[in-house]
Amino acid sequence: NDMFGILGHYAASDEDVTGVKDGNIFQIELSASLGPVNFAVGHIATDKDGNVGSISKFGDNIDPTEEIGDQVYGDDAKTNYGTIGTSIEGVDLSLLYASAEYMDGTKKDIDEVSFTAGYAFSDELGLSLTYSDVDGETNSDSFDKVSAELTYSF
């Protein structure tokens, strides 16, 4: 069952607070499901002066990354990303690569590679493990991280 898709988001803020600039964010994503494998590529861009304004206070629903969301939502940020995912014997596997260019006084770059494996023990209980490798321009922006998430829903 092959499927293709396109996703677009645009949001803008009109800030009425002194010293807070208006902001906006735009996302476009193309996706395809070819058999059991899902692919997606996308681009996210923010305002060059006000980044996303107060939009980020309403949640993190545009940024697909695990670790570099602050940079994706930063001033004049341009982020390209790609994902691939599948399920093998009930284990959901996904790989993400993202590269963000943003302004922090000067133009900076940061990259992320994240691998996630998740398993649903039942309809209510699931576990996922994520390994992320972040490579920034400084040592404080470069790190490896392993995280686990246990989810119980009712």
Side-chain angles (χ1 to χ4, degrees):
N1 193 4
D2 298 342
M3 186 176 119
F4 300 91
I6 185 168
L7 168 79
H9 284 125
Y10 177 80
S13 67
D14 182 12
E15 306 294 337
D16 293 329
V17 177
T18 303
V20 178
K21 297 178 182 179
D22 296 344
N24 64 58
I25 187 166
F26 168 78
Q27 176 191 25
I28 184 109
E29 181 179 288
L30 303 173
S31 60
S33 295
L34 304 172
V37 182
N38 302 312
F39 303 90
V41 294
H43 177 76
I44 302 169
T46 66
D47 187 272
K48 69 177 187 160
D49 296 320
N51 60 56
V52 295
S54 60
I55 297 168
S56 62
K57 294 180 182 177
F58 297 103
D60 195 6
N61 60 355
I62 292 178
D63 170 34
T65 68
E66 290 290 325
E67 300 299 329
I68 64 173
D70 290 346
Q71 291 84 358
V72 171
Y73 287 159
D75 288 347
D76 198 20
K78 292 168 185 52
T79 305
N80 296 307
Y81 63 91
T83 64
I84 185 170
T86 193
S87 184
I88 299 171
E89 298 293 326
V91 177
D92 295 328
L93 304 170
S94 66
L95 180 68
L96 164 99
Y97 172 76
S99 180
E101 180 181 277
Y102 63 101
M103 292 295 291
D104 185 14
T106 61
K107 189 177 286 192
K108 294 186 177 179
D109 295 307
I110 194 165
D111 298 323
E112 174 183 335
V113 175
S114 290
F115 175 74
T116 301
Y119 183 75
F121 297 101
S122 66
D123 289 341
E124 296 84 20
L125 183 64
L127 174 68
S128 67
L129 301 171
T130 301
Y131 168 76
S132 298
D133 177 27
V134 176
D135 184 23
E137 293 189 8
T138 65
N139 285 341
S140 63
D141 290 336
S142 299
F143 57 91
D144 295 323
K145 181 177 177 180
V146 175
S147 59
E149 180 178 357
L150 182 64
T151 305
Y152 179 75
S153 59
F154 52 94

